Amino acid sequence: MNLELQQFKAEFFKALAHPLRIRILEVLSEGDRTVNEIQSIIGSEGSAVSQQLAVLRNKNVVSGSKDGTSVTYSLRDPLVKDLLVVAKQIFDNHLVGTITLLEHMRTNEQ
């Protein structure tokens, strides 16, 4: 069971391992969107957004529901939004640590 869980986590994080996919998830954290809406918000071309949505869909991170000719995408699990918030907090902590280290180095140089 532990190995299966580790495998799931590895596959899940692989699905997140692209800056455009992260940006798409951030957009979807604010609400469901069509491909065109995502493109407009991100400022990226449609084929790139569609390719990344396909990866996220195949890894069951997002789901799409067809309405006429457009597909509306949403997060499959709302906890993804919390994960993105925690990732930002971890980034901020590393940034603060780096700034503190640089300040300490500058102080010791003088």
Side-chain angles (χ1 to χ4, degrees), residues 35-69:
V35 176
N36 289 339
E37 290 171 327
I38 295 169
Q39 276 178 240
S40 177
I41 293 167
I42 292 175
S44 182
E45 63 183 54
S47 62
V49 170
S50 293
Q51 286 174 340
Q52 300 309 326
L53 279 166
V55 171
L56 292 169
R57 197 174 53 247
N58 289 336
K59 297 293 185 176
N60 292 315
V61 179
V62 301
S63 60
S65 58
K66 196 161 176 107
D67 183 24
T69 58

Side-chain angles (χ1 to χ4, degrees), residues 59-106:
K59 297 293 185 176
N60 292 315
V61 179
V62 301
S63 60
S65 58
K66 196 161 176 107
D67 183 24
T69 58
S70 35
V71 179
T72 300
Y73 286 91
S74 60
L75 298 177
R76 286 187 64 94
D77 191 324
L79 288 174
V80 170
K81 182 176 181 175
D82 296 336
L83 179 64
L84 295 172
V85 169
V86 170
K88 184 181 180 318
Q89 290 170 338
I90 292 168
F91 173 78
D92 290 348
N93 290 343
H94 282 285
L95 190 57
V96 166
T98 302
I99 290 169
T100 302
L101 177 62
L102 287 172
E103 288 172 348
H104 181 65
M105 289 170 61
R106 284 185 185 153

Side-chain angles (χ1 to χ4, degrees), residues 1-9:
M1 178 65 175
N2 209 14
L3 183 59
E4 289 174 21
L5 179 58
Q6 291 167 346
Q7 185 65 37
F8 170 81
K9 288 177 182 179

